[in-house]
Each structure stands twice: as C-alpha cells, then as structure tokens.
Amino acid sequence: MKTKQRIYILSAALLILVLLYLLLGLNPFIWRYALSLRIPKTIALLLVASSIAFSSTVFQTLTNNRILTPSVLGLDSLYLFIQSLIVFLFGSSTLARLGENFNFILSVGLMVAFSLLLFQLLFKREERNIFFLLLVGLVMGTFFQSLSTFMQVLIDPNEFLVIQNRMFASFNNMNTEILWLALIISFLAVLFTLKDLKNLDILSLGRENAINLGVDYDFVVKKFLVLISILVSVSTALVGPITFLGLLVVNLARELLRTFRHKYLIVGAILIASIALTFGQLIAERLLNFSTPISIIINFIGGLYFIFLLLKESKI
Amino acid sequence: MKKPYLLVILILLSLLSLFIGVRKVSFLDVLKLENAAIRTMVLSRIPRLISLILAGMGMSISGLIMQQLSQNKFVSPTTAGTIDSAQLGILFSLIIFPAASPLVKMLLSFFFALTGSFLFMFILRKIKLKNTVIIPLIGIMMASIIGSISNFFAYRYNLVQSLSSWMQGNFSMVIKGRYELLYISVPLVILAYFYTNQFTIAGMGEDFAFNLGLNYKTIVNMGISIVALISSLVVITVGRIPFLGLIIPNLISIYYGDNLRKNIIPTALAGAVFLLFSDILSRIIIYPYEIPISLTVGILGSIIFLYLLFRRKA
Amino acid sequence: MIEVKSVVKQYGRKRVLDNVSLKIEKGKITSFIGPNGAGKSTLLSIISRLIGKDGGQVYLDGELVDGIDCNSFARKLSILRQSNHLNVRLTVRELVSFGRFPYSEGKLRAEDLDHIERALEYTQLKEEADKYLDELSGGQRQRAFIAMVIAQDTEYILLDEPLNNLDVKHSVEIMKILRRLVGELGKTVVIVMHDINFASCYSDYIVAFNKGQIVKEGNVEEIINKDVLEDVYDTNFVVQDIMNRRICFYY
C-alpha cells in the first residue's frame, strides 16, 4: 500500500514542522508567553489548511474538473462586501460593539444563505449546468468587489483605516478571536456531511453515473456546496482570501497519492496544505521577519503550478 | 437603423462630458473664447473626452475580435488574461526601467499582453470540452493567476500602490500630454474593420479556414496582436476597464445579429457611449469628488453581464 | 414491468415527448428505434430519472418511480448512457466495483467481490481487469461499462446506443452479451438503437418513435416491414428474409 505509506510520511513531516514551529527559539523566560501566542496560531493554520484542502477537493469532484477552486464562486468577495456594508451602514464602532464572534456568525449565515439562493435559482432550471453556476458566481464576485470598493471610497478615510485590518486579515494578522467558534462551526459542518462522504468517489464518475448508482445527486451536491460555503467563509474570515492554495494542494495530493479514493485524497490534501502553511509561516516569521506575506507567496507558487498544469495536461 | 441614434447619443453625451467638472465652464465662456475656459477645455476636458471615446471603441472592438476568433460569446480581453498580462508588463517596466518613457512601457506591456493572449489561445485549443462557459472560466482563472504573479512582484518591489493605480481605470488623470498614445488605436480599429470577415472564418477553425484558402495562423496572429496592442494602450493610459469588451459586442449582437461587418461600427459606437455614460455617472454621483470609472463600469457591467447570461439560458 | 403513462417532455415550446404511453415487458430485449430527435433517448432518461418530465407517470413494477428512494431504485434499474468519458483514471476492476455501490456503500464484502468477478467473466474482461480504462480499445471500454451495470445486478438494464462508435465485431460481441443476460439471468433490457438490422436480429420487441410519439410497437415481424419503416424514417426501404432474419436495405 504505497498510498498509505505516503500518508504516514506526510503526517510525520507535518508533526515535525508543527513541533519546530512551536518550540523553536523558546527559552525559560518567555516560553509561557510564546506558547500562548503560538498555539492558537498553529491551530488556526491547521484549521485554515484543512478547510481549504477539504473544500477544494470536494469542489473539484463536484465540478469534475481539476483546475477550479471554490474561489470562483465569488464567496470571498461576498465576505468583504458584507464587512464593508456593515461599516458603511452602521459605522466601524457598530462593528466593534457587535463583537467578532457575532460578526462572524452573521457573515457565515449570509454567505450560506446567498449560496443557497444562488443554487436554488440555478438548480431549478432544467439544464443544471454547474459551470453556469460558476460563471454567475464569478460575475457576482466582481460585482460585490466593485460594490465594496465603491463603499470604501465613500467611507471616511479614518474609519476605513480602522476597519481595514479586520477586513483584510492575513497570516501575520490572524483573526484568532473567532478561532474557537470557527473550529466548532467547521466541525459541525463536516459532521453534517459525514455520511455523504462515501458518495464522493461515485460523484467523480459524473452526474449520470452517480444517479445510476443510486446517489441523490441534486440533494448531495447542494449539501456539499453548503459545506463548501461554510469552509470558505471560515478560512476567509481567519486569514483572508488565498485563491490558489486549494488548487495546488489537491493536485499535489493527486500526483503524490495516485488514487481516486477520496478517503486518501482528502487526508492527503489536508496534510499537504498544513505542511505548506506551517512551513511557509515558519519561514516567513523566523527567516524573513514577516517581510513577504505567505499568502502572496502561496498564490504565486499556486499560480505558476496552475499554468504548468494547463500546459502539461493533454486534455482538460 | 439604429446607427444614427447611437451617433446622436454619442454626440450629446460628448457635449455633456465637456461641461461637467469641478471648474464651471459654460458654453458661453467657450464661445467668448475666454482664456480660462479654453485652457480647461484644451488641457483637460477634450483630452478626457477623446480618450474616453478611443478607449471605449478600442476595448469593445477588441472584445468583438476575441469573440470571433474563439467562437465564444464570453471571451474578452478581461476573460482571457490579456489585461492582466498587460498589467504585469507595466509592472516589469516599472521594476526594470523605472525612468522609461510611456512608449517603452507600452511596448513592454504590449509584449506581455501578446504572450498572455497567445497562451490563452494555445490552452483554448487543448480544451476538449468546448463548453461555452468553461472557456471564459479558464480564462478568468488564468487572469487571476497572472494577477497574483503581479502581486508577488509588486509586493517585493514595494510597488503595490503604483500597481493598484493601474488596476483601477481612471480618467481623472487624463490631461494633455498623457493620453496621446491612445491615438495609435485609431489605425488598429480601422485595420480590424477591414479584416472582420477573415476573423469570422478563422474562428470556425483551422481546417475550415484552410478550406477557404485563408492562412489561419496569420489571421489569428494579427487579430490577437491588434487586441493585445489596444489593450496595453488602454491599460497604460487609463487603466483597466472591466467587462467593456464583453458586454458591448453581446448587446449589439442582440439587436443586429452576428454579421460582423454590420456589427463592428455599432459596437464601436456603443462602446464609446457606454464608457462616456459611465464616466459622467462617476463624476456626478459624489460630486465634487469622483469615483474611479472601473467601479462604475464594474457594477453596471456585472449587472448587464448577468442579464446576458440568464437571457442566453432561457 | 415498466409502464409509461402519457409522458410529456418539452424544452421551451418544443415538445420532445408528446403523450407517450408504453409497457415494457419483463425478460425481453426491447429496442427503441426511430430517426434522430424522435425522443427515444429522452424517454430512456426519463424512465431512469436522469431528467425530469413535464407530465405523465412512470411505474416500475406497479410503483411510481418518483416515490422510490435513490438507493432502492439503483438496485432495480440501471442506465448506461452513450457518452462515458471519465475524468478519473480507473482500472477496469475499479470501475466494475462501483457497480456494487448501491449494495456495499463503498465497503466491498465477499458477496460483492463475487459479483464483480462474475461480471468480468461475463464480459470476458478477466485479463484486462487491472488495466486502466484509457489503455483499452473502444469495444473493451464499452464492455467494461456494461460489466459495471452487470455487477449492479439490477432487474432492468437500460442502454442508450451501446453500439455507438463500435466496429462490427465489437457490436456483435456486445449484443450477444445482452442476449445472454436476458436468456440466462432473466434480465429485462431496453436499448436505444440506431442500426435497424441489429434491432431486428436481437430484439424481442421493437418500439418505433417519430416526432416525440410512438408510431408503432410490436414484435420484429410487425415492425420490420416496408410500410412501417418507410413511415417512421421517411426513406425507401426493402425488407427481406435472410437466414430467418429480417434484414433491411435502405441505401
């Protein structure tokens, strides 16, 4: 079982990296303080890595396409739009008074509601073309983005600066206040689809084969799309949009594990994403002194890999 | 039939555009040849108007050419990576030759735009599943990747702010002496006009074109070059204007059908009208300030695009 | 028995199926023939619930199909469409194993493995079982998909143009397999066919479609004759008995 062995190796590598990240540079005087900062950060990193890897794997299976990521649904733009709208309508003080957790729940709720509305609208039509859904999502994304920028132009510049940090979280400026809530929500979301996970292998055969083999296609797809919206909201709220990490890790997992079984693919993608983020954070914090945000590095590498993938594949 | 209307609207909007602005300039002042009024006109208002018209025409024609060549209604310089590549080119010119003239920057940006568009056409030929929607989807993915590469280098060289000023199309910076490069797009648009039929035939595929005795490669290369050149000209003088090349040709083909010869002039006119209208809107909505036109176009454009998508589906 | 009662399907204003009623009997091969766009494939897709209908009912053994849950339905009826392009790279055995999903939900038991082996044997794919699908010829790949359907072990098997793009040898092989499925295992097979002579030689019952309606149905002798075929296809036909089979010329 080559696949399993490779998963063990990946897990071991991740364990070492996490330990390195936690323990490197500790000394007897500051260890308590340093750990109290590093542990939540590590958990957040792993949570972000898992939700991105998980949602991207599922998304690629649903779309039967190796070169798409959930970011084309326009959900991250919607998140920014919701944040801007709150500030625009009620001011940043309201945002502060509401508290991060409430804001997070509100945003996730709105995003899920929006996706459901979008799916409902499109799945009602006869030709349930998932690519059509994506294109609509994408345009909506541009729309929300323009609208958010528009409101940001109108907001008092001082107020804008105050909220900018919250709106554009990054790995160096992680929104760890909502960590526990995000953890619980993602856990519940995954629990909610747990018994559908076995259908993923079948879904990768395409719609007709899936229906033939007794999968309630429309229902299962909608359920997974809701899961994807929740996971995307979680990672966007924690660290902001990282477009290409998902693309990168799912394809690496496929290359490395050479299997179609989601049991392994999902675990593999989660491990690779966690390794990439922990390693990236380690380098960014300890070597580069925070000089380049790792989301930019990841998007850069992910982007190059994507172009490589397009050129290499004989058919897409 | 509708051509005269478009022309009349264009002229009306142009006049309106000339007399809107922070500095009050009345029609009478201009007639009286009052110095200050003339100066405002010559230095700022007229350059702005001309660049709006040229950019509007250029971008919508570019979209039309790309849609013909790819035989896909949803392809345009924004959904094929052309604009983002042009932007990457500008970034490189800022890094490598910070002191270069706009012409040099334009050439470098043109070179990048050309490479990006060819990359897209190359990928297009490899896609087996020619779904109408998946092609622009891949194009947009490619565009955002090129964008992320730009981001990476912009961050490394501390150019994020300069880059984002190019990200946002904005005509408020257009004054005499800073827009003249756009005139290069005039002969390009004329050239496109004479080659419309060839573009249509090339769009039907290499074999089809060969069968009709056309050199497929030459035609495609020329079409892509025109698009890349116009796109880089627009990006360097005013910045990026989303959706224009996408929606204008589509709107026109709803009324005029798909005969390219018949469409090309209305498309150019409608592009200019749409851009002028958006510009006027951006100037008055929070008067005396103005909103970057890319936002106005982005909001209006995405609504129209969604309408087109759903209409096509029904 | 499959019973179709006044089924209607329309795209926009165009009626693809116009009040179609039909009974498909158990233990037989029933072929749907007719010109392009007659509604044959659409009806097959509606029976198998791949697409929705705009009116009418479909009953499977007296039960309304809309009410049957997905899993039970997949154990009773299987469908194989003509386009079988997969995005995942699978071996033949892996593909055939998917046929057991309605029973095993992904965890294969000894009984499932038996079914898989038998399906491979039935389609003579034992030797190719561990090859990847993209390494096979068109005929072998089509047999692999049929093996998946056999492993699914449903009473009803629906196939949409299974002979599409196959040469003569592979077409005959596949029709023989289907004949054996009916004769030896008592399955009910419904096929959409383009080749009238294949339909004539291998069917028990033929349903002729045109313009969204059933023109005529009956056994081979009733359908494969000059009048009916000329009516259905709007082309000149010569029908002759050759070696006890009805063969048509229409060139």
Side-chain angles (χ1 to χ4, degrees), chain C:
Chain C
M1 187 170 69
I2 299 174
E3 199 177 348
V4 176
K5 272 191 182 163
S6 32
V7 162
V8 175
K9 175 76 187 172
Q10 47 190 35
Y11 290 110
R13 268 188 220 127
K14 191 176 166 10
R15 283 216 161 179
V16 210
L17 284 178
D18 192 3
N19 242 335
V20 171
S21 298
L22 175 70
K23 285 181 184 172
I24 298 170
E25 283 186 49
K26 271 193 185 179
K28 286 186 173 174
I29 291 188
T30 303
S31 297
F32 289 1
I33 61 167
N36 291 332
K40 310 164 298 233
S41 297
T42 312
L43 184 61
L44 210 65
S45 300
I46 286 178
I47 294 174
S48 56
R49 307 202 301 192
L50 286 182
I51 59 174
K53 52 188 177 304
D54 299 315
Q57 300 90 35
V58 179
Y59 296 91
L60 186 66
D61 292 336
E63 206 179 336
L64 257 181
V65 294
D66 311 74
I68 307 175
D69 76 88
C70 291
N71 189 276
S72 322
F73 193 72
R75 296 178 192 206
K76 280 196 129 175
L77 183 148
S78 53
I79 167 108
L80 189 62
R81 290 290 305 259
Q82 41 185 320
S83 61
N84 274 305
H85 170 74
L86 289 185
N87 268 308
V88 278
R89 197 159 178 263
L90 301 176
T91 65
V92 175
R93 196 187 301 277
E94 283 166 343
L95 179 74
V96 178
S97 311
F98 275 121
R100 296 307 295 168
F101 183 78
Y103 304 89
S104 66
E105 310 256 291
K107 284 202 163 52
L108 298 175
R109 301 154 300 176
E111 182 196 334
D112 299 315
L113 295 174
D114 278 354
H115 272 280
I116 295 164
E117 289 312 307
R118 239 177 297 151
L120 287 170
E121 231 163 84
Y122 224 87
T123 46
Q124 293 152 26
L125 282 168
K126 280 233 134 175
E127 279 168 26
E128 281 80 23
D130 294 312
K131 283 192 184 159
Y132 281 95
L133 286 175
D134 50 16
E135 296 163 354
L136 301 184
S137 72
Q140 288 172 324
R141 203 173 312 142
Q142 186 66 303
R143 266 190 285 150
F145 277 97
I146 289 179
M148 173 177 106
V149 171
I150 294 176
Q152 201 177 335
D153 194 26
T154 53
E155 206 178 329
Y156 298 91
I157 299 174
L158 276 47
L159 303 123
D160 192 353
E161 291 186 33
L163 307 183
N164 210 4
N165 289 327
L166 294 188
D167 59 29
V168 180
K169 174 174 177 262
H170 288 114
S171 300
V172 172
E173 271 173 17
I174 286 190
M175 290 315 294
K176 283 193 171 149
I177 292 172
L178 296 178
R179 208 53 263 187
R180 277 176 63 203
L181 282 176
V182 174
E184 294 170 12
L185 304 177
K187 306 281 184 198
T188 307
V189 174
V190 185
I191 318 175
V192 170
M193 288 269 243
H194 255 299
D195 191 315
I196 307 168
N197 288 328
F198 266 114
S200 164
C201 294
Y202 287 94
S203 324
D204 300 308
Y205 198 77
I206 299 180
V207 185
F209 286 77
N210 195 4
K211 292 178 188 153
Q213 287 176 323
I214 293 176
V215 181
K216 198 170 164 65
E217 50 181 305
N219 54 30
V220 175
E221 288 75 38
E222 287 173 273
I223 304 296
I224 307 297
N225 64 54
K226 190 173 161 60
D227 295 339
V228 175
L229 291 177
E230 286 187 350
D231 186 30
V232 170
Y233 285 98
D234 197 20
T235 307
N236 293 325
F237 272 84
V238 177
V239 180
Q240 283 198 333
D241 281 322
I242 299 175
M243 298 173 72
N244 283 332
R245 303 219 194 255
R246 288 246 165 141
I247 301 298
C248 326
F249 299 91
Y250 42 84
Y251 301 103

Side-chain angles (χ1 to χ4, degrees), chain A residues 48-62:
Chain A
V48 168
S50 311
S51 50
I52 288 177
F54 194 101
S55 56
S56 303
T57 316
V58 173
F59 191 71
Q60 292 200 349
T61 300
L62 295 188

Side-chain angles (χ1 to χ4, degrees), chain B:
Chain B
M1 281 296 283
K2 287 200 170 123
K3 221 181 291 172
Y5 291 131
L6 278 173
L7 202 60
V8 171
I9 298 174
L10 181 64
I11 292 167
L12 286 178
L13 284 177
S14 305
L15 287 174
L16 197 59
S17 167
L18 284 178
F19 295 99
I20 289 179
V22 179
R23 184 189 286 273
K24 286 264 178 300
V25 178
S26 77
F27 191 59
L28 275 177
D29 292 341
V30 180
L31 279 188
K32 282 185 210 147
L33 292 174
E34 201 172 277
N35 255 343
I38 296 292
R39 270 172 57 96
T40 312
M41 279 292 156
V42 172
L43 283 181
S44 150
R45 299 284 163 81
I46 291 175
R48 183 173 190 145
L49 177 65
I50 292 175
S51 57
L52 277 165
I53 293 175
L54 289 180
M57 287 184 167
M59 289 312 287
S60 48
I61 296 289
S62 302
L64 192 63
I65 296 175
M66 287 213 100
Q67 280 157 30
Q68 286 297 327
L69 287 179
S70 61
Q71 286 290 296
N72 187 309
K73 288 267 171 204
F74 295 134
V75 170
S76 76
T78 359
T79 51
T82 310
I83 302 258
D84 290 85
S85 311
Q87 213 167 281
L88 185 62
I90 293 180
L91 184 75
F92 266 75
S93 69
L94 287 176
I95 293 171
I96 304 169
F97 324 104
S101 69
L103 190 70
V104 176
K105 288 197 179 103
M106 195 279 288
L107 282 176
L108 203 62
S109 140
F110 165 62
F111 175 73
F112 272 78
L114 203 61
T115 317
S117 320
F118 275 120
L119 187 68
F120 177 73
M121 291 305 273
F122 176 72
I123 290 166
L124 203 63
R125 256 186 278 169
K126 286 175 75 170
I127 298 172
K128 286 271 154 44
L129 180 72
K130 296 259 184 205
N131 185 312
T132 349
V133 187
I134 191 140
I135 289 170
L137 217 49
I138 288 174
I140 294 169
M141 282 288 279
M142 207 182 96
S144 57
I145 283 157
I146 296 169
S148 72
I149 296 173
S150 305
N151 260 332
F152 176 75
F153 285 106
Y155 203 92
R156 298 241 50 160
Y157 291 92
N158 259 327
L159 290 168
V160 177
Q161 267 199 321
S162 326
L163 186 71
S164 58
S165 73
W166 263 294
M167 287 277 275
Q168 296 236 325
N170 199 341
F171 283 88
S172 60
M173 304 299 285
V174 171
I175 47 168
K176 191 171 180 292
R178 292 187 59 170
Y179 78 103
E180 283 77 2
L181 267 178
L182 264 183
Y183 282 117
I184 303 177
S185 67
V186 175
L188 293 173
V189 169
I190 294 172
L191 190 66
Y193 179 77
F194 286 110
Y195 273 87
T196 41
N197 287 336
Q198 278 89 331
F199 291 146
T200 311
I201 292 169
M204 312 253 186
E206 190 160 4
D207 300 339
F208 192 90
F210 181 75
N211 185 38
L212 290 176
L214 275 179
N215 190 336
Y216 174 79
K217 285 222 167 73
T218 317
I219 301 289
V220 170
N221 290 351
M222 194 177 75
I224 297 288
S225 308
I226 292 177
V227 169
L229 200 50
I230 293 180
S231 305
S232 47
L233 284 168
V234 171
V235 171
I236 204 135
T237 41
V238 292
R240 113 190 239 139
I241 306 165
F243 285 120
L244 197 61
L246 193 65
I247 53 174
I248 300 298
N250 274 299
L251 282 177
I252 290 298
S253 82
I254 291 176
Y255 293 105
Y256 290 84
D258 276 331
N259 183 348
L260 201 56
R261 255 291 153 75
K262 216 168 68 189
N263 278 4
I264 192 159
I265 291 175
T267 303
L269 290 178
V273 165
F274 183 74
L275 205 57
L276 264 176
F277 175 74
S278 308
D279 183 61
I280 291 171
L281 209 61
S282 332
R283 279 196 269 170
I284 56 178
I285 216 159
I286 50 167
Y287 187 84
Y289 305 104
E290 64 178 85
I291 309 165
I293 192 172
S294 58
L295 290 184
T296 323
V297 176
I299 293 168
L300 289 179
S302 41
I303 295 171
I304 297 176
F305 188 39
L306 285 177
Y307 163 75
L308 289 173
L309 269 175
F310 278 98
R311 190 186 163 280
R312 205 177 165 75
K313 223 35 196 180

Side-chain angles (χ1 to χ4, degrees), chain A residues 66-77:
Chain A
R66 289 184 58 176
I67 53 171
L68 294 174
T69 67
S71 67
V72 292
L73 278 171
L75 287 173
D76 31 15
S77 317

Side-chain angles (χ1 to χ4, degrees), chain A residues 37 40-42 44 101 173-181 237-238:
Chain A
L37 282 182
K41 226 172 179 180
T42 315
N101 282 329
N173 172 31
M174 250 188 257
N175 195 349
T176 38
E177 270 178 63
I178 56 164
L179 184 57
W180 300 113
L181 189 67
L238 277 169

Side-chain angles (χ1 to χ4, degrees), chain A residues 231-285:
Chain A
L231 293 181
V232 170
S233 327
V234 166
S235 72
T236 313
L238 277 169
V239 295
I242 325 174
T243 321
F244 297 112
L245 180 67
L247 190 80
L248 189 67
V249 297
V250 181
N251 281 300
L252 280 179
R254 272 187 230 278
E255 291 283 313
L256 206 63
L257 303 177
R258 300 220 164 265
T259 176
F260 64 92
R261 293 189 194 284
H262 285 76
K263 191 162 66 172
Y264 302 120
L265 271 184
I266 290 178
V267 173
I270 288 178
L271 287 173
I272 293 173
S274 309
I275 290 173
L277 286 190
T278 322
F279 184 68
Q281 192 64 14
L282 198 64
I283 299 285
E285 274 185 30

